[in-house]
Amino acid sequence: MLLTIDCGNTNTTFSIWDGGAFLATWRTSTEWQRTADQYYVWLSTLMKVRNLDVTITDVIVSSTVPRVVFNLRVLADRYFNCRPLVVGKPECRLPVAPRVDQGTAVGPDRLVNTVGAFDRHGGDLIVIDFGTATTADVVDTDGAYVGGVIAPGVNISLEAFHMAAAALPHVDVSKPDRVIGTNTVACMQSGAFWGYIGLVKEITQRIKSERGRPMTVIGTGGLASLFAQGDTLFDRVEDDLTMHGLTVIHRYNKDTT
């Protein structure tokens, strides 16, 4: 069995892949202080709750938080007796190398999304990921990552808004009933929701124009389904795109070893 781990700035996701389907997926907050033993107690307890009596033989990790990787390596070595593949490290090969400026370090999550999206949809893609940051990643005809856009994430923007303006409350992201808000919370929710709808539409339109060809737009990340309700932003929404990409990278490395 393969354990896929996607460590983002806010949450870390663990999924168990049996070669054909994900048997279970769990999320926990990302904390670099968490030890390998704590990870194992948490994970093994959840496996028991789901009555999953499986043996983990392989581990692959994508992490945007470098300090977390050490304890995840220890987890794989101590409890699963394997050396994990870590996306972005030299020993973890990608099907197609990214084509960006020399010396540029591309976020592992963006590389994994590129691989997963290309495996499912082919090339000429724009992958919009709603995470801690809102990113737009461009996938070339052959599956190479060729650049993109990074904007502040929706929740980060709202949190900064709240911290910078003491009179404004903290609000959750949701689709408002009307564009024109009649109270402070409704106004803020409308600005966040429709503002990011506009951001995504403008970015994707300009990428398509710059590329000069038809492109398929894929939405992923926790808020993709919510923003898909507001307009025709995406051709497809993929909730498990990153985890799927990790399985593809793992298979590629196994097949080329």
Side-chain angles (χ1 to χ4, degrees), residues 154-173:
V154 186
N155 287 311
I156 279 185
S157 296
L158 285 171
E159 187 64 29
F161 206 7
H162 169 64
M163 292 177 66
L168 296 177
H170 177 78
V171 299
D172 294 325
V173 184

Side-chain angles (χ1 to χ4, degrees), residues 28-48:
T28 184
S29 58
T30 298
E31 297 177 6
W32 68 266
Q33 304 97 327
R34 187 170 289 154
T35 67
D37 300 328
Q38 289 174 312
Y39 277 121
Y40 181 72
V41 170
W42 172 81
L43 185 61
S44 60
T45 300
L46 289 172
M47 290 172 66
K48 288 178 182 177

Side-chain angles (χ1 to χ4, degrees), residues 1 4 6 9 14 41 57 59 68 74 143 146 148 153 165 169 177 182 187 191 193 200 202 209 237 252 256:
M1 295 285 178
T4 62
D6 172 36
N9 290 295
F14 292 72
V41 170
T57 58
V59 177
V68 172
V74 175
V146 293
D177 294 330
T182 54
C187 289
F193 185 82
V200 171
E202 183 70 14
S209 177
V237 174
Y252 176 78
T256 56

Side-chain angles (χ1 to χ4, degrees), residues 30 44 47 57 89 105 115 122 130-131 158 165 207 217 228 240 257:
T30 298
S44 60
M47 290 172 66
T57 58
K89 299 298 182 182
V115 172
F130 293 92
L158 285 171
I207 289 174
V217 182
D240 64 343
T257 300

Side-chain angles (χ1 to χ4, degrees), residues 9-218:
N9 290 295
T10 304
N11 294 315
T12 300
T13 305
F14 292 72
S15 291
I16 296 177
W17 173 256
D18 70 355
F22 288 109
L23 301 182
T25 297
W26 302 284
R27 289 175 177 83
T28 184
S29 58
T30 298
E31 297 177 6
W32 68 266
Q33 304 97 327
R34 187 170 289 154
T35 67
D37 300 328
Q38 289 174 312
Y39 277 121
Y40 181 72
V41 170
W42 172 81
L43 185 61
S44 60
T45 300
L46 289 172
M47 290 172 66
K48 288 178 182 177
V49 169
R50 292 287 296 271
N51 294 317
L52 283 176
D53 184 15
V54 298
T55 301
I56 303 297
T57 58
D58 296 271
V59 177
I60 184 168
V61 177
S62 168
S63 178
T64 59
V65 185
R67 288 192 291 181
V68 172
V69 174
F70 174 78
N71 283 319
L72 293 176
R73 285 185 182 273
V74 175
L75 170 71
D77 177 65
R78 180 178 298 168
Y79 291 104
F80 305 127
N81 195 32
C82 69
R83 179 181 177 84
L85 277 172
V86 179
V87 178
K89 299 298 182 182
E91 64 272 15
C92 183
R93 297 177 297 277
L94 298 175
V96 183
R99 292 193 287 272
V100 293
D101 294 342
Q102 187 173 3
T104 299
V106 182
D109 54 333
R110 305 177 80 181
L111 296 175
V112 173
N113 283 347
T114 294
V115 172
F118 180 73
D119 183 70
R120 285 180 169 171
H121 304 286
D124 289 327
L125 308 175
I126 304 171
V127 180
I128 306 294
D129 188 355
F130 293 92
T132 304
T134 299
T135 58
D137 297 320
V138 180
V139 185
D140 210 345
T141 306
D142 63 349
Y145 171 87
V146 293
V149 177
I150 303 175
V154 186
N155 287 311
I156 279 185
S157 296
L158 285 171
E159 187 64 29
F161 206 7
H162 169 64
M163 292 177 66
L168 296 177
H170 177 78
V171 299
D172 294 325
V173 184
S174 62
K175 181 183 177 183
D177 294 330
R178 302 173 60 205
V179 175
I180 301 173
T182 54
N183 57 69
T184 301
V185 170
C187 289
M188 293 175 66
Q189 288 177 330
S190 183
F193 185 82
W194 294 111
Y196 272 83
I197 292 284
L199 180 146
V200 171
K201 290 180 70 174
E202 183 70 14
I203 285 175
T204 53
Q205 179 180 336
R206 288 183 176 273
I207 289 174
K208 290 177 181 179
S209 177
E210 194 168 290
R211 297 286 288 175
R213 66 186 72 173
M215 303 191 75
T216 301
V217 182
I218 310 298

